[in-house]
Amino acid sequence: MIPYGTQNIAPEDILAVESVLKSAWLTQGPAIERFEQLVAEHCGSKYAVATCNATSALHIACLASGLKAGDALWTSPISFVASANCALYCGAHPDFVDIDPASYNLSVVALQKRLDAAARNNCLPKILVPVHFAGQSCAMAEIAELAQSYKVAVIEDASHAIGGKYRGWPIGACAYSDMTIFSFHPVKIITSGEGGMILTNREDLYERLVRLRSHGITRDATLMESESEGPWYYQQLELGFNYRMTDIQAALGASQMQRLDTMIARRQDLFEQYSGLLEGLPITLPWQSPGTVSANHLYVIRLRSDKLTKTRRQVVEEMRAKGIGVNVHYIPIHMQPYYRRLGFNAGDFPVAEQYYQEAITLPLYFGMTDSDQARVATTLRQVLQ
Ligand SMILES: *Cc1c(COP(=O)(O)O)cnc(C)c1O
């Protein structure tokens, strides 16, 4: 089976992990800082905080932004559930902004309308979480302008997007946001096994994130509420978590960072090759927005239901039966049973729901060969005939 995505592990990754295993530090050691520095340098942000996954990163980023019970957080319905669940972890209310029909990112037009209405009704969200779907940046300049005028914090969910660019800025530079989140799950662009990271340019947020990552504890005497009692002393100043990454994971992540540019270049080649290989089929190819360089995490096509007799389900099942591991990203979050119980309904976000009916993710990953890719295209051509 050709998977829709998979990790790439090189011999030097294995050596990097092995050297941590032979060192004194399996966690809370020097590999974490090295990985954080590599990512911050690559992205041009001042600070980076590694976490055990992107879900925990989203959680503490929300807490650091002051999200609490009674507040609202808005995100895109076409994302992984973690983009919205972070609101619920903080006792806040998640809500959604419908997507743009071309980029599948949250729509700036819909956002403007909803913000105007929310301002009139005195129910503005505290946080907006734009998700860079499939690795392509949202319209961050427009989003940042709206967020500033309505005083909404912006946390970029860039789980798909490390290595991408927006208007010349690397994603993660936080040029248009307060914080940016990356995921290093094996299916994403680079991996640390499990792992996440938060980037920011704000020292206050950085200090808060470091503390929330590790139980709300500080060892810095200048931050303590009373005098230090000795070299063993620490104080818990607030309720935090154990959301730390291990050094084993950080060494893998740091080693993978060395190949980030190569990985993005190969993904871009595969993306471009698909356009030729899929020409003439009754499908809509993904759109690349001018001014962005996508990390090309996912290659999503849409079936032209007006030109096809087969359903999306039939196409997916036949492709899988022929060894092509196609997938669907994503089931709209508000359609999940848990979210329906919170009051969301079919019809709430029609552009997202229509997209979901037609979307199929084709395989695309760094180690994919040209002949694997040709097999995907030929199989799709047969199935759509
Ligand atoms: C994968 C993903 C997450 C969660 O990442 P983990 O590292 O698995 O916690 C969050 N948001 C989006 C958009 C994702 O794709």
Side-chain angles (χ1 to χ4, degrees):
M1 180 84 101
I2 298 178
Y4 85 83
T6 189
Q7 70 271 19
N8 173 265
I9 300 294
E12 60 267 29
D13 296 340
I14 295 168
L15 289 176
V17 170
E18 191 183 350
S19 76
V20 169
L21 291 173
K22 290 175 174 167
S23 79
W25 301 92
L26 296 188
T27 190
Q28 296 176 283
I32 300 292
E33 241 168 79
R34 185 172 129 68
F35 185 28
E36 290 172 340
Q37 268 171 17
L38 276 173
V39 177
E41 255 166 46
H42 184 275
C43 297
S45 75
K46 282 200 186 134
Y47 307 102
V49 179
T51 56
C52 52
N53 51 50
T55 303
S56 60
L58 282 162
H59 181 194
I60 59 175
C62 287
L63 290 175
S65 293
L67 192 70
K68 58 182 189 320
D71 291 335
L73 173 151
W74 293 1
T75 188
S76 169
I78 297 299
S79 185
F80 186 54
V81 291
S83 306
N85 285 344
C86 54
L88 296 165
Y89 297 154
C90 300
H93 171 65
D95 206 343
F96 304 94
V97 178
D98 209 347
I99 61 166
D100 175 87
S103 68
Y104 315 143
N105 280 326
L106 69 78
S107 154
V108 172
V109 178
L111 177 64
Q112 165 118 51
K113 272 196 201 143
R114 291 213 56 198
L115 284 170
D116 288 345
R120 281 195 303 276
N121 297 322
N122 210 15
C123 59
L124 281 165
K126 182 167 262 177
I127 298 177
L128 183 69
V129 179
V131 180
H132 303 316
F133 179 75
Q136 174 160 263
S137 178
C138 296
M140 289 309 298
E142 291 83 351
I143 288 173
E145 202 180 312
L146 286 171
Q148 262 156 29
S149 58
Y150 290 102
K151 298 195 166 40
V152 181
V154 179
I155 301 173
E156 297 173 68
D157 183 345
S159 292
H160 301 181
I162 192 169
K165 288 192 176 140
Y166 174 74
R167 295 196 175 178
W169 295 93
I171 289 178
C174 303
Y176 300 91
S177 66
D178 299 281
M179 287 172 272
T180 301
I181 308 292
F182 291 135
S183 170
F184 307 119
H185 183 276
V187 92
K188 307 292 162 77
I189 304 286
I190 62 163
T191 190
S192 59
E194 293 273 4
M197 203 173 282
I198 309 156
L199 281 73
T200 184
N201 292 317
R202 278 176 49 186
E203 190 178 6
D204 60 326
L205 290 175
Y206 170 70
E207 284 178 354
R208 189 84 198 280
L209 291 167
V210 167
R211 201 192 303 162
L212 287 167
R213 170 176 67 177
S214 201
H215 308 280
I217 279 171
T218 187
R219 290 173 188 278
D220 180 347
T222 63
L223 297 175
M224 289 181 187
E225 291 178 10
S226 55
E227 205 141 301
S228 171
E229 295 173 11
W232 67 87
Y233 195 64
Y234 55 83
Q235 278 187 348
Q236 182 185 343
L237 299 175
E238 63 182 317
L239 185 63
F241 308 86
N242 181 352
Y243 280 172
R244 295 185 304 257
M245 179 183 276
T246 66
D247 279 50
I248 307 165
Q249 294 166 310
L252 177 55
S255 178
Q256 295 247 315
M257 269 307 281
Q258 312 298 331
R259 302 201 299 292
L260 177 61
D261 292 340
T262 322
M263 289 184 175
I264 296 296
R266 176 64 182 155
R267 283 178 177 272
Q268 181 63 25
D269 286 347
L270 289 164
F271 182 97
E272 284 164 16
Q273 285 170 194
Y274 261 139
S275 311
L277 290 165
L278 301 175
E279 217 180 308
L281 289 175
I283 58 177
T284 305
L285 299 182
W287 178 71
Q288 284 207 323
S289 152
T292 69
V293 177
S294 176
N296 292 313
H297 167 52
L298 301 173
Y299 191 87
V300 177
I301 58 162
R302 285 176 77 165
L303 300 181
R304 295 279 308 268
S305 34
D306 54 327
K307 294 190 172 177
L308 279 166
T309 47
K310 282 182 185 164
T311 63
R312 193 265 310 269
R313 181 170 182 160
Q314 281 173 313
V315 174
V316 167
E317 284 175 351
E318 287 180 33
M319 290 293 283
R320 287 194 177 192
K322 292 173 186 289
I324 313 292
V326 295
N327 214 325
V328 174
H329 296 92
Y330 290 94
I331 306 156
I333 301 173
H334 69 284
M335 302 292 281
Q336 295 290 350
Y338 188 87
Y339 278 81
R340 287 182 186 241
R341 287 198 288 276
L342 296 175
F344 295 100
N345 287 303
D348 286 350
F349 303 100
V351 186
E353 291 166 35
Q354 181 64 33
Y355 159 86
Y356 170 62
Q357 295 303 321
E358 302 166 350
I360 298 181
T361 305
L362 299 185
L364 193 162
Y365 48 91
F366 174 68
M368 188 181 205
T369 63
D370 287 353
S371 73
D372 284 344
Q373 191 183 24
R375 202 179 121 211
V376 173
T378 311
T379 312
L380 184 65
R381 211 168 273 280
Q382 284 166 2
V383 168
L384 293 183
Q385 240 166 28

